Amino acid sequence: MLDEVLTWRFAADSVVSHWFRAHPKLGIRDRAEVAEVVYDVLRHLRRYRQLGESGVGNSVRRLAIQGAIATLGADKVRPVLDSGELAWLDRIGQIDPESLSLPVRTSLPDWLFERIKDLPDLESLAASLNVAAPLDIRVNPMKADREEMLADLTKGNAVRHAPVATPFSPWGIRLKGRPAMNKWHQFEHGLIEVQDEGSQLLALLVGPKRGEMVIDFCAGAGGKTLLLGALMRSTGRLYAFDVSATRLAKAKPRFARSGLSNIVPVAIEHENDTRVRRLAGKAHRVLVDAPCSGVGTLRRNPDLKWRQSVQSLQELTALQARILASAARCVAPGGRLVYATCSILTEENQAQAEHFLANHPDFELVDAAPILAARTPLQIEGPYLSLRPDVHGTDGFFAAIFERKKNLVKDHSLATDEPRVEQAEPELAVESDLVELADTELTVERDVAPEVQNELETPGESAEPFGKTSKPLEEESAVTVLRSSADPKPNSKPKAKPKTKPKT
């Protein structure tokens, strides 16, 4: 499995899932151990490779040995090693980690180290990116209260995952370990959803209100969309745009569980799709959770730092600028535009915000600090939201808030005669996924402001909001896997995943 992961042709989670399907006799506990070894190697790959240079035999096996010792303990691993491997372990055990350079010690590729080396408390940040993240979930504000949910979770099997309230998000709950949440009744009934705390805070910055038109421009799997829709109390219209109909289709069960009826999923071809242009100048709020390098999520996706490059980053920043410019056309005068990434890189964050403002004089920057201070104990300097795992305990996130100026001469590029939107105080926001759900029974939301109905409709087509409509297996341990120098590889290859967070 590790050999296949290290080719970087497929995302690590895809390779791991495919390998497990090819080895159905592996027990649940041992699957977890094998996965932990693989992800530990990905987190510490540069250091493990340097230490492995002094060993003998298969180089990938030496990586696996180091990962197994780090996650399972030397007492479980050493008994299955030969004398040469044991001697090599003794040699590298005498090396002082502080004698290694910072990029090697923290396993940062050169392209990434060069971009974050001037950030404050670099070593703390780099170390935090190599620590597995806890699981953050949130309650559905339409259906549940956080305090009541915490009390409910402590009564059942979830108690062993030590559920606690997240420190900043008013809806978040943090769990230890990796519980099988999809079997919990709270999840099946749409009372809770998986979402990192940092992502939850974006909803506060969007601040959607009842009856408004809101666009989640890069909806992805629909997490933010669901929170935005709940904060709108299932009124108005919430468009979930995405270039992947497949992702929107996968979001369909989440939409159904949520109980929301104001979500309109729309699969678009690209950021300048005709359906995007039809909403020019009409939206009260637009969220752009842009495709990015995902560097802020390395705690969960450590392979991203090895699968990215200077070239892919350049391509991403160009795409981000195009998406942000296209989304800006949808914002009505007085409306709000929120740009966000799960990255800690300046060129994807502050530099993009400054570039946008320089090229869009009809927008002005809004300070995120007072907006967050009104709803959360989180204190930031502003004007941007910048989150770090070592400081805030969340994934790395960035967000900038822009407001379209009201006193504008009419822009004839905006194909609309809609009246100007009066800016209102923020209430709350979310994330979303998009796809044209032709096979889904839809219901029309009646509680919608007249000016936000049927914007996308043309003769012969319509856009409507989404409505709700054994024997134990033989176990094989992770240590046993190490006994074989090479596991049989699956005959078929896993489906390739994009290197980046695949959005518009």
Side-chain angles (χ1 to χ4, degrees):
M1 182 207 303
L2 191 53
D3 298 75
E4 182 66 28
V5 170
L6 295 177
T7 65
W8 312 125
R9 290 185 298 167
F10 308 102
D13 60 347
S14 177
V15 176
V16 171
S17 297
H18 183 265
W19 193 85
F20 284 155
R21 288 194 297 270
H23 296 78
K25 292 185 178 181
L26 197 64
I28 294 177
R29 183 181 63 184
D30 296 312
R31 285 173 180 246
E33 290 181 352
V34 170
E36 283 301 313
V37 169
V38 170
Y39 278 86
D40 181 82
V41 170
L42 293 174
R43 291 187 178 100
H44 305 284
L45 182 60
R46 187 168 184 175
R47 175 162 60 90
Y48 286 175
R49 276 180 167 162
Q50 179 154 321
L51 296 176
E53 290 176 356
S54 61
V56 295
N58 184 281
S59 60
V60 175
R61 177 176 170 84
R62 292 198 296 276
L63 295 176
I65 289 171
Q66 294 178 83
I69 289 177
T71 57
L72 305 177
D75 56 331
K76 291 185 178 180
V77 178
R78 291 181 69 93
V80 303
L81 304 181
D82 61 33
S83 58
E85 290 168 336
L86 291 172
W88 162 67
L89 282 178
D90 291 338
R91 287 196 302 273
I92 66 174
Q94 298 174 12
I95 298 175
D96 180 5
E98 294 300 318
S99 66
L100 304 174
S101 67
L102 181 59
V104 173
R105 187 167 69 249
T106 57
S107 285
L108 292 174
D110 289 337
W111 75 267
L112 179 55
F113 178 74
E114 287 300 315
R115 282 162 173 77
I116 67 173
K117 64 182 181 181
D118 294 326
L119 294 179
D121 300 318
L122 173 59
E123 189 154 2
S124 172
L125 172 62
S128 70
L129 293 173
N130 288 329
V131 177
L135 178 66
D136 286 355
I137 64 175
R138 64 163 177 80
V139 296
N140 178 352
M142 286 279 290
K143 292 185 172 185
D145 172 80
R146 182 170 68 172
E147 297 308 315
E148 293 177 357
M149 180 58 62
L150 279 168
D152 188 33
L153 292 175
T154 55
K155 296 176 183 176
N157 292 333
V159 67
R160 67 174 181 267
H161 299 289
V164 295
T166 53
F168 307 124
S169 168
W171 315 287
I173 295 174
R174 184 158 292 159
L175 304 171
K176 292 182 179 179
R178 289 289 179 270
M181 258 186 53
N182 60 328
K183 300 186 183 300
W184 293 2
H185 74 88
Q186 297 96 334
F187 179 81
E188 292 175 338
H189 291 86
L191 302 179
I192 55 176
E193 279 286 347
V194 176
Q195 189 176 14
D196 184 79
E197 183 183 25
S199 179
Q200 296 174 35
L201 294 176
L202 294 183
L204 292 168
L205 301 183
V206 178
K209 290 183 171 292
R210 298 187 186 213
E212 289 186 331
M213 183 199 295
V214 179
I215 300 174
D216 187 349
F217 207 85
C218 305
K224 298 184 191 71
T225 303
L226 291 171
L227 183 52
L228 291 172
L231 297 176
M232 295 167 70
R233 309 308 294 178
S234 199
T235 66
R237 277 209 174 185
L238 174 54
Y239 288 103
F241 286 170
D242 204 283
V243 294
S244 172
T246 301
R247 283 196 295 273
L248 289 177
K250 289 181 179 179
K252 181 168 63 173
R254 302 181 79 182
F255 295 160
R257 288 195 303 268
S258 72
L260 299 175
S261 59
N262 63 337
I263 299 175
V264 183
V266 183
I268 57 178
E269 295 294 328
H270 45 73
E271 69 272 10
N272 289 314
D273 190 286
T274 302
R275 283 162 290 190
V276 175
R277 292 178 176 275
R278 289 177 193 158
L279 294 179
K282 295 185 177 182
H284 299 78
R285 324 264 170 168
V286 178
L287 170 63
V288 178
D289 187 7
C292 66
S293 64
V295 170
T297 69
L298 290 181
R299 301 185 305 168
R300 308 175 194 279
N301 307 295
D303 58 320
L304 284 177
K305 61 183 174 181
W306 310 115
R307 301 178 71 224
Q308 298 285 7
S309 65
V310 173
Q311 180 181 350
S312 65
L313 183 61
Q314 291 172 344
E315 294 170 352
L316 278 168
T317 53
L319 176 61
Q320 291 159 0
R322 294 198 304 270
I323 292 173
L324 185 54
S326 180
R329 290 199 295 264
C330 298
V331 182
R336 178 175 295 181
L337 172 64
V338 176
Y339 171 77
T341 72
C342 53
S343 174
I344 57 174
L345 304 183
T346 300
E347 56 256 70
E348 295 187 279
N349 297 340
Q350 293 92 335
Q352 284 286 19
E354 292 168 3
H355 178 269
F356 174 79
L357 288 170
N359 289 277
H360 295 79
D362 52 332
F363 280 86
E364 57 189 359
L365 187 65
V366 176
D367 192 349
I371 294 175
L372 290 172
R375 295 296 305 271
T376 171
L378 177 63
Q379 299 295 316
I380 62 173
E381 293 183 3
Y384 305 118
L385 169 66
S386 295
L387 301 177
R388 296 174 27 154
D390 59 323
V391 176
H392 305 100
T394 68
D395 286 342
F397 269 98
F398 171 85
I401 307 173
F402 310 105
E403 181 180 303
R404 190 165 209 145
K405 299 175 183 177
K406 299 178 186 178
N407 55 341
L408 296 174
V409 176
K410 184 170 181 178
D411 183 350
H412 294 286
S413 68
L414 303 179
T416 176
D417 293 323
E418 291 293 323
R420 295 176 179 174
V421 178
E422 292 301 321
Q423 180 66 20
E425 287 302 315
E427 192 175 314
L428 292 177
V430 206
E431 146 187 67
S432 130
D433 287 12
L434 73 100
V435 69
E436 294 183 295
L437 306 176
D439 60 340
T440 306
E441 181 180 352
L442 302 178
T443 60
V444 179
E445 170 59 48
R446 300 302 177 188
D447 190 6
V448 181
E451 67 272 15
V452 302
Q453 294 192 27
N454 304 320
E455 301 83 5
L456 299 185
E457 294 186 10
T458 59
E461 69 175 55
S462 65
E464 294 183 333
F466 184 89
K468 346 181 204 178
T469 70
S470 83
K471 295 186 203 172
L473 296 175
E474 179 185 345
E475 294 193 355
E476 181 182 9
S477 71
V479 173
T480 304
V481 174
L482 274 177
R483 294 181 186 276
S484 172
S485 60
D487 282 315
K489 295 182 180 178
N491 294 327
S492 58
K493 300 296 182 184
K495 185 177 180 181
K497 280 192 177 182
K499 292 182 179 180
T500 64
K501 191 171 161 190
K503 294 184 181 168
T504 303

